[in-house]
Amino acid sequence: MTPEHLIAAARDAAAHAHAPYSKFAVGAALLLSDGSIVTGTNIENASYGLSLCAETVALAKANCDGHLRDVVEIAVIGGVPNGTAIVRPCGRCRQMLNEAAQLGGRDIVIHCASGDASAVETHRLSDLLPYAFGPADLADFT
């Protein structure tokens, strides 16, 4: 699976985003260790605080199928369909990705793309979320 294939899956997902308020459609595509892909889109709500990011939706779908610990990579794309600004996971999504990363014992690769996919950045989660808090930090309390 190439980053381009994963980004294309995220772009396809973004077409189904529910973003009537911001008009900022985002798609995410998770690559699992078995090679399968799980997608998600952002879902806005009139009560803005209840909105969900595409990355969180994809992670929730993976978890529902018992695959949260199997996430290897993620691609995120969004904004204006022909836009050139790169979209990166927000802080909440980085923390959600960290949970999956720590459960799976890996450093997730994140491909961040502009709406037109002309610009792509690839990062490791540990670079975007240094000193992350996760399941291991709760070991003394469980």
Side-chain angles (χ1 to χ4, degrees):
M1 173 72 54
T2 66
E4 293 78 20
H5 286 104
L6 204 56
I7 291 166
R11 180 188 298 130
D12 290 346
H16 301 290
H18 179 70
Y21 310 109
S22 72
K23 309 292 189 240
F24 197 89
V26 178
L30 302 173
L31 175 63
L32 304 181
S33 57
D34 67 1
S36 62
I37 296 176
V38 177
T39 61
T41 67
N42 58 321
I43 303 172
E44 293 181 352
N45 190 280
S47 176
Y48 296 134
L50 298 179
S51 297
L52 297 172
C53 297
E55 302 92 324
T56 298
V57 170
L59 287 165
K61 284 174 62 178
N63 185 63
C64 286
D65 293 333
H67 295 291
L68 186 60
R69 66 181 61 246
D70 300 326
V71 177
V72 176
E73 294 183 33
I74 183 170
V76 182
I77 191 170
V80 180
N82 294 323
T84 57
I86 293 175
V87 174
R88 297 171 193 88
C90 70
R92 178 177 182 264
C93 288
R94 293 175 195 197
Q95 184 62 42
M96 295 291 291
L97 286 163
N98 181 65
E99 186 84 5
Q102 287 195 13
L103 290 173
R106 63 179 53 92
D107 195 4
I108 294 173
V109 174
I110 303 173
H111 306 287
C112 308
S114 60
D116 66 359
S118 65
V120 177
E121 296 175 349
T122 298
H123 304 279
R124 294 217 165 264
L125 177 60
S126 60
D127 294 329
L128 294 180
L129 189 64
Y131 309 108
F133 180 86
D137 296 299
L138 298 176
D140 292 338
F141 300 102
T142 58

